Amino acid sequence: MPDSPAGPPAPPIPLAELLGREELGLRRIAGPEHADLLWVHTSEMADPYPYLLGGELLLTAGVQLADADTYVARLVQAGAAALGFGVAPVHDTVPAALVEACDRHGLPLLEVPPETRFTAVARAVWRLMAEARHRELRRVTRAQQALATAAARPDPVPAVLRQLAVQLEGRVALLTADGGVLHAAGGRSAPDVQTALARLARMVTPAVPSGGAGSAPGRKPSPSSATDTRGGTHLFAYALGGGQGLALALATPRRDLGDHTVAGIAVVLLSLLTAPHQGADAAGRSAALVRLLLGAAPQDVAPLLSDGDDWTVVHARRADGAPADPLNAGALGAALGSALSDVDRETVRVLIPGRHEAVGPQPGWTLGVSGPAPVTALPDADTQASRALGHAEATRTPLTAHRPGIGGLAGLIPADRAEAHARALLAPLTEPLADTLRCWLSLHGSWDRTAVALKVHRNTVRQRIARCATLLDMDLDDMDVRTELWFALRDRRPSPR
């Protein structure tokens, strides 16, 4: 088949769509029902093979038709999609030998009636191609908008993959250079498909040589994409930018013209979402970590991370209960204006330079925000953020910020004396019991909300509060008792963890 110098101008047109144009009067009289048309060509040559690109609907009146079998065999060899034979003025009917040859070689044969001009058939095909092109452009535009919306979600990387799986109706996965799956979406693939995708991922993201970044001297650069097939499944792998050694792998039942564009959009988004933070702030974080590991005090390295004196700690959990991971933790940190994020089990912790007034609700997340604290008091701020997050989950609010104690009567007592009294009063309680009592009082004695905040059963809350009442020898239904305990719990510093 001759090589095509350029791709087709639009998605292929199913033969059935052309036959559905009743004004043309076309009728399939031989060959298979299904074919995809890419072009229209008219020729009366005895052998048009050298002039065909493949995928054509070839129109002829059979002026030089001599050996029907050889003629059809050459068309099939050239990759023609279908043959349209015009009845009159050369032939009154379609030659029986041509019908037999098309059936034998599997080439669709259309009868073009005398009243239908070849130009009308060509015009109809080009019109169908223009309509298909517009449909494909609209599909790609909708896919681009859907992927961009997914990238703005709290879990951008999994959300983009899920949306890409919907758009391409297949299996998508984010793979490491050794074929490990970080995230995946869509239906499960057969084992041989998974193996083939891992191989493609290794092709486009070779392992970085030890001793330095980049390729080894003299090594050929890796391709940016690779393809394969398994049965009727089309496989693709695309290298992501950002130096993370990641690849986007796709397994789809078909490959439409706009799918490459849709996949390319996803590659760009995923490259941005998975790329590490760069620049002077990254250098500052590295220097701070090195100095901490070498024994520097936190207050000495804090200026490398922030120009200000105050810090805010944010604790966050996914509102849908899904687990957090470093990728969506980094995305949340970026949304809050900080590159300092960490994942502790299902909780994301973000350290933000500055005061918490700048922190706002984040779609898809439940946040607990500490009060401003110097670097030496970050453990206390971490505790505040944890309690605020529990309160937010218990009250089903997207964000709860720590509220410092109000002055008034409590402010008349010196802080050191207040703390000493609090420790003496609460001495019988263990740290878990004190935390339960504090949470229960902050939620106005609600068993259910306290259970939600602490992630324990409501009976556990009842047992702990009863235990607190016994150890303290106090009536916790008494408002005066509750008030004194609340002030004590507020003034008592938690034990170091």
Side-chain angles (χ1 to χ4, degrees):
M1 171 179 165
D3 293 331
S4 173
I13 303 303
L15 178 60
E17 288 193 17
L18 181 63
L19 293 174
R21 293 293 179 111
E22 296 181 357
E23 71 276 10
L24 298 176
L26 303 178
R27 185 167 64 95
R28 183 183 63 84
I29 58 176
E33 298 179 3
H34 304 290
D36 289 330
L37 312 179
L38 296 177
W39 328 88
V40 178
H41 185 64
T42 300
S43 175
E44 296 301 339
M45 299 183 67
D47 182 16
Y49 174 93
Y51 303 96
L52 299 182
L53 298 174
E56 292 92 349
L57 167 62
L58 179 66
L59 299 175
T60 183
V63 175
Q64 299 191 53
L65 181 63
D67 184 343
D69 189 77
T70 301
Y71 181 81
V72 173
R74 291 286 285 171
L75 294 184
V76 171
Q77 186 180 359
L83 175 64
F85 194 89
V87 176
V90 180
H91 296 270
D92 294 333
T93 60
V94 179
L98 186 62
V99 175
E100 294 173 0
C102 286
D103 273 331
R104 184 163 48 252
H105 291 283
L107 181 69
L109 175 61
L110 311 183
E111 180 187 69
V112 183
E115 63 273 13
T116 300
R117 299 182 179 182
F118 285 176
T119 54
V121 176
R123 188 182 301 115
V125 170
W126 289 114
R127 186 177 296 114
L128 289 171
M129 294 180 74
E131 293 172 358
R133 185 185 305 114
H134 292 154
R135 286 196 302 269
E136 194 67 8
L137 287 174
R138 287 196 297 270
R139 184 178 78 89
V140 170
T141 300
R142 288 194 298 268
Q144 180 178 7
Q145 293 171 344
L147 290 170
T149 300
R153 287 177 53 87
D155 54 342
V157 172
V160 168
L161 293 176
R162 288 194 298 269
Q163 188 57 238
L164 183 61
V166 171
Q167 297 296 329
L168 300 186
E169 299 180 2
R171 170 78 169 177
V172 303
L174 187 62
L175 305 182
T176 60
D178 58 1
V181 180
L182 290 179
H183 292 283
R188 277 201 167 277
S189 301
D192 62 325
V193 170
Q194 297 178 26
T195 301
L197 287 176
R199 180 182 61 81
L200 293 180
R202 288 191 293 271
M203 290 177 59
V204 300
T205 57
V208 178
S210 59
S215 301
R219 184 174 185 173
K220 292 183 179 180
S222 301
S224 59
S225 62
T227 64
D228 197 357
T229 57
R230 283 293 182 275
T233 303
H234 301 270
L235 310 181
F236 306 87
Y238 300 87
L240 299 190
Q244 297 292 83
L246 302 179
L248 173 64
L250 311 173
T252 59
R254 63 177 186 276
R255 187 62 164 174
D256 294 331
L257 192 64
D259 289 349
H260 179 71
T261 302
V262 174
I265 295 169
V267 168
V268 172
L269 289 174
L270 292 169
S271 296
L272 294 173
L273 292 169
T274 58
H277 295 278
Q278 303 293 334
D281 59 336
R285 293 195 301 275
S286 297
L289 176 60
V290 169
R291 295 186 190 184
L292 282 172
L293 292 174
L294 295 178
Q299 58 267 30
D300 295 333
V301 302
L304 294 171
L305 302 174
S306 171
D307 295 331
D309 295 329
D310 289 330
W311 293 81
T312 298
V313 179
V314 176
H315 282 210
R317 292 194 188 102
R318 292 279 303 278
D320 58 6
D325 59 42
L327 292 177
N328 54 37
L332 175 63
L336 295 174
S338 174
L340 303 174
S341 62
D342 181 33
V343 180
D344 183 11
R345 299 181 182 86
E346 75 276 12
T347 303
V348 174
R349 301 188 298 177
V350 182
L351 187 59
I352 305 174
R355 305 178 70 86
H356 70 72
E357 285 83 354
V359 177
Q362 300 298 316
W365 292 92
T366 302
L367 306 183
V369 184
S370 76
V375 69
T376 53
L378 284 180
D380 292 343
D382 187 50
T383 300
Q384 292 173 5
S386 177
R387 291 171 180 168
L389 175 59
H391 190 278
E393 290 184 319
T395 56
R396 297 182 181 179
T397 55
L399 183 149
T400 295
H402 171 75
R403 298 180 61 186
I406 303 172
L409 295 175
L412 299 177
I413 305 174
D416 55 345
R417 292 182 59 187
E419 182 178 353
H421 173 73
R423 289 205 171 275
L425 178 64
L426 302 173
L429 303 184
T430 62
E431 198 66 40
L433 288 177
D435 283 341
T436 302
L437 181 58
R438 178 188 290 107
C439 184
W440 181 71
L441 290 173
S442 73
L443 295 170
H444 311 292
S446 171
W447 307 109
D448 291 329
R449 289 186 174 184
T450 305
V452 171
L454 298 177
K455 297 187 179 300
V456 297
H457 194 275
R458 66 194 307 270
N459 289 342
T460 302
V461 176
R462 287 182 177 275
Q463 292 168 4
R464 289 181 182 177
I465 297 302
R467 182 64 176 160
C468 289
T470 301
L471 292 173
L472 295 173
D473 192 19
M474 290 181 174
D475 181 5
L476 299 186
D477 291 330
D478 188 317
M479 183 54 68
D480 290 336
V481 171
R482 289 193 183 193
T483 302
E484 182 177 3
L485 287 174
W486 176 250
F487 281 120
L489 288 163
R490 188 205 64 172
D491 291 327
R492 175 179 179 265
R493 286 182 173 273
S495 301
R497 285 186 282 181

